Amino acid sequence: MVTILGAGGAIGSELVKELTARNESIRLVSRNPKLAPGVAEAAAADLSILDDTVKVVTGSRIAFCLSV
């Protein structure tokens, strides 16, 4: 599973395209997540809260943090 934190922006959309082309299982994480074509999961989290962040990355092979 590849997790994209802060996935709501333009970079997240392009990353999803690249990962789906590589047949990766993807989890999108944002405050108001929306499933996209090729995405396995969408999860809501406030990334400023450590417990929320740990919860959504658990089980991930890699996590991309696109949130600032």
Side-chain angles (χ1 to χ4, degrees):
M1 174 72 63
V2 176
T3 298
I4 303 174
L5 304 168
I11 294 172
S13 297
E14 290 301 314
L15 184 54
V16 166
K17 290 177 190 176
E18 289 296 320
L19 293 171
T20 52
R22 298 166 193 246
N23 296 315
E24 293 282 356
S25 179
I26 304 166
R27 175 187 300 135
L28 300 180
V29 179
S30 65
R31 289 188 182 157
N32 300 301
K34 293 183 175 130
L35 280 175
V39 174
E41 297 177 28
D46 181 341
L47 300 178
S48 69
I49 299 172
L50 179 61
D51 289 341
D52 282 3
T53 305
V54 170
K55 188 179 199 180
V56 295
V57 298
T58 299
S60 299
R61 179 176 60 80
I62 190 166
F64 292 94
C65 184
L66 306 181
S67 178
V68 288

